[in-house]
Amino acid sequence: SQTIHQWPATLVQPVGSPLSLECTVEGTSNPNLYWYRQAAGRGLQLLFYSVGIGQISSEVPQNLSASRPQDRQFILSSKKLLLSDSGFYLCAWRGPRYSPLHFGNGTRLTVT
Amino acid sequence: GQQLNQSPQSMFIQEGEDVSMNCTSSSIFNTWLWYKQDPGEGPVLLIALYKAGELTSNGRLTAQFGITRKDSFLNISASIPSDVGIYFCAGQPYATGNQFYFGTGTSLTVIP
C-alpha cells in the first residue's frame, strides 16, 4: 500500500532563516505531488504541484520554491523566511487520472 | 487559483441530527472530493466523485456530484460526537487537469 511521509512535524524558525521541508511517497511510481499551505486551520491554498522529476508548477508568487529531485521526493524551500510564511504545510500525492489526493500529516511552521 | 464556495461555514447540531453541506464553483469540474480534517492532522479522504450525477455513500456519509458539474453535496446522517471536525470539498477543474482546489471548510460541532 502507498504511504506518504512528511517531516518535520513541527518547526520553529527565526525570520530570515532558510527552510527545507521534505515529503516522500512509498508504494507508487510517477505520482503527482502537491504542496499546500493552510492558515488558521481553514482553507488549503495550493502552492506547487509536480507531474514528474524536475517539473514544478507554481500557483502563487511567494517567498517559497519547490523541487523534485527524485520521482517520489518533493521538497519545499525558502532562502529567507518571512513572518507570513507561518502556517501548516501539507504534502499530497495522487496516482493515475481519476484518483484522489492523499495527504501527509503536515508540518506546523512558526516563524518568529 | 479557483475559488470554491463552501457552505455553511460552521454548524452546531445535536447528536442524531442529519447534516448537509455543499460546495460550488464558477467553472466545470471533473472530480469532486470530500475530506475531514481533525486538529493538527492532514485531511482524510471521505468520498471521491468522478461523474456528473454520481451519488456515492461511505457509511453514514453520502455525497453527490452535481449535474451541472459546478457543485457537490455532502450529507451526514444520524451524526455522532466523533463526526466533529472540519469538512472540506475539493475539486479538479476540467480545463486544467492537475490542480486541486479546496473550499474554505465547514466546521461541525456535535452536541451530545
Side-chain angles (χ1 to χ4, degrees):
Chain A
S1 63
Q2 301 90 356
T3 56
I4 179 169
H5 302 280
Q6 202 181 327
W7 67 93
T10 59
L11 190 60
V12 180
Q13 292 283 99
V15 169
S17 64
L19 173 73
S20 181
L21 302 180
E22 190 163 342
C23 173
T24 59
V25 181
E26 296 179 357
T28 187
S29 59
N30 196 31
N32 284 5
L33 297 172
Y34 302 80
W35 279 111
Y36 285 86
R37 177 168 59 200
Q38 187 176 33
R42 305 291 292 267
L44 283 75
Q45 180 188 31
L46 178 60
L47 301 177
F48 301 95
Y49 69 94
S50 171
V51 299
I53 296 174
Q55 300 179 60
I56 308 295
S57 297
S58 175
E59 276 290 298
V60 294
Q62 58 205 311
N63 185 42
L64 302 168
S65 62
S67 61
R68 186 171 176 173
Q70 300 180 42
D71 181 44
R72 290 170 288 178
Q73 183 184 30
F74 206 23
I75 297 172
L76 184 68
S77 304
S78 174
K79 293 181 179 178
K80 290 185 178 182
L81 284 169
L82 307 172
L83 286 174
S84 58
D85 291 324
S86 294
F88 191 45
Y89 289 83
L90 290 154
C91 181
W93 73 274
R94 189 188 73 147
R97 188 175 174 82
Y98 297 114
S99 60
L101 282 178
H102 300 278
F103 284 88
N105 283 327
T107 295
R108 173 73 60 190
L109 172 66
T110 303
V111 182
T112 60
Chain B
Q2 287 276 347
Q3 292 289 333
L4 297 186
N5 297 311
Q6 187 174 347
S7 64
Q9 185 175 2
S10 61
M11 302 182 73
F12 294 82
I13 62 169
Q14 292 290 136
E15 182 176 358
E17 289 183 352
D18 297 343
V19 173
S20 292
M21 59 190 78
N22 69 81
C23 209
T24 60
S25 68
S26 57
S27 59
I28 293 173
F29 279 25
N30 62 21
T31 298
W32 283 100
L33 308 171
W34 285 93
Y35 291 85
K36 178 176 184 278
Q37 186 179 27
D38 292 325
E41 299 183 8
V44 174
L45 180 70
L46 299 174
I47 294 177
L49 303 161
Y50 300 107
K51 186 176 178 181
E54 181 181 356
L55 185 71
T56 298
S57 294
N58 178 6
R60 292 177 296 105
L61 279 62
T62 302
Q64 185 165 23
F65 193 136
I67 290 293
T68 66
R69 302 175 70 182
K70 293 184 177 182
D71 55 9
S72 181
F73 309 86
L74 176 69
N75 296 316
I76 305 173
S77 63
S79 59
I80 59 178
S82 62
D83 290 335
V84 167
I86 301 180
Y87 291 78
F88 290 99
C89 62
Q92 182 182 31
Y94 176 81
T96 55
N98 289 306
Q99 298 97 315
F100 285 83
Y101 299 102
F102 279 73
T104 50
T106 295
S107 176
L108 178 63
T109 300
V110 180
I111 303 167

